Amino acid sequence: ELQEKFAQDISLLALTGIKPVIVHGGGAKISDMLTKLNIPSEFVDGHRVTCEDSMKIVEMVLSGDINKNLTSLLNHHGAKAIGISGKDSNCIEAVAKDNGKFGYTGVVTSINFNMIEDLNEEGFIPVIAPIADSAKPNHPGFNINADIAASQVAIALKANKVLFLTDTKGVLNKDGELLNSLDKLDVESYKKDGTIGGGMIPKVDSCIDAIYNGVNKAHIIDGRVEHSILLELFTSDGIGTQFLQK
């Protein structure tokens, strides 16, 4: 039901002249599939360590399953969506993170923003699976954290706003209360004292990276709330945590 509402919201945004670009993840489905296939999975600071066997599963789940289902859903709701991988037209290129310490998990080196803009100009909504290409031929590619990929795409496009949907109200303090706004110093402080940890680390880092590199605003919002995107964009209070440059 939430997926249906999301698709409706994105279609509405496109009708109003806004040009959305979607970058999706799929960590839970990837972990489930790796478990079924008895392939070990390890995380360090919210980043998956990707071996060669798991890289094949990552690409299968992200590009072959989630990407096409999401694209189909958007099209059923009147959007003109097209699903692509970061490998298509060198949309996302990367190198190994930390000199290969994370296996086939990568760091983005370039975004083919011209291709994404061309799709937008033709009225398409790009739906991007965060699998990056390598400069080397016949390379299996790189698994990119979806939050980082979204941030890098937003920076390359000089996007007005980047929204990260998650399964919490936003960034929470140690009492479980929502932190409405954060700046760079707040984020560093909260990471040091453990308030921000795990999978939230790449999200907040991506938000800070975006607003310090040309993106006007960054927000982490609750994807479990119906029409959360519309509430964030079109109400004065908004929802979730916004990131400010001070």
Side-chain angles (χ1 to χ4, degrees):
E1 190 174 340
L2 283 172
Q3 287 181 338
E4 295 274 347
K5 300 294 185 189
F6 172 79
Q8 291 167 12
D9 292 353
I10 295 297
S11 299
L12 178 62
L13 293 181
L15 284 173
T16 63
I18 292 171
K19 295 177 179 176
V21 176
I22 298 166
V23 180
H24 66 82
K29 272 198 172 184
I30 291 167
S31 294
D32 286 346
M33 185 61 73
L34 290 173
T35 299
K36 286 176 185 174
L37 297 171
N38 293 316
I39 299 172
S41 194
E42 179 189 356
F43 286 86
V44 177
D45 292 335
H47 296 271
R48 187 186 299 275
V49 178
T50 312
C51 68
E52 189 166 4
D53 286 339
S54 60
M55 183 64 218
K56 294 173 184 174
I57 305 306
V58 166
E59 185 162 22
M60 180 183 78
V61 171
L62 290 177
S63 296
D65 180 5
I66 296 172
N67 186 275
K68 299 312 168 195
N69 284 336
L70 184 52
T71 301
S72 175
L73 188 63
L74 286 161
N75 287 329
H76 278 297
H77 284 278
K80 206 165 81 166
I82 185 162
I84 60 174
S85 151
K87 285 184 173 180
D88 292 309
S89 194
N90 303 114
C91 180
I92 304 173
E93 287 197 330
V95 294
K97 179 178 173 63
D98 290 357
N99 296 314
K101 174 184 167 186
F102 288 78
Y104 287 92
T105 296
V107 175
V108 175
T109 54
S110 68
I111 302 287
N112 184 354
F113 62 91
N114 289 321
M115 187 265 282
I116 301 171
E117 287 180 337
D118 287 347
L119 290 172
N120 265 161
E121 290 303 317
E122 291 296 323
F124 290 103
I125 297 171
V127 181
I128 304 171
I131 302 293
D133 211 354
S134 166
K136 300 174 184 175
N138 296 316
H139 189 281
F142 291 104
N143 178 20
I144 306 296
N145 177 283
D147 301 315
I148 293 171
S151 176
Q152 292 301 308
V153 168
I155 290 166
L157 292 172
K158 298 181 173 62
N160 184 53
K161 185 174 290 207
V162 59
L163 304 175
F164 297 86
L165 273 65
T166 186
D167 57 357
T168 68
K169 292 178 183 177
V171 183
L172 309 178
N173 66 19
K174 287 190 173 178
D175 296 322
E177 299 163 335
L178 179 67
L179 297 165
N180 291 306
S181 65
L182 295 171
D183 63 20
K184 197 172 187 177
L185 291 177
D186 294 331
V187 166
E188 291 308 314
S189 175
Y190 284 132
K191 283 200 294 187
K192 278 180 186 173
D193 71 11
T195 301
I196 295 173
M200 189 56 78
I201 291 175
K203 277 188 170 56
V204 297
D205 286 348
S206 296
C207 286
I208 294 297
D209 194 24
I211 62 171
Y212 277 86
N213 285 284
V215 178
N216 193 25
K217 289 186 178 178
H219 304 256
I220 295 175
I221 63 176
D222 193 344
R224 302 168 303 176
V225 175
E226 286 190 5
H227 305 301
S228 56
I229 295 174
L230 301 185
L231 289 169
E232 180 54 55
L233 290 176
F234 299 125
T235 64
S236 55
D237 291 339
I239 59 172
T241 304
Q242 69 170 333
F243 291 77
L244 306 169
Q245 190 179 146
K246 291 184 180 177

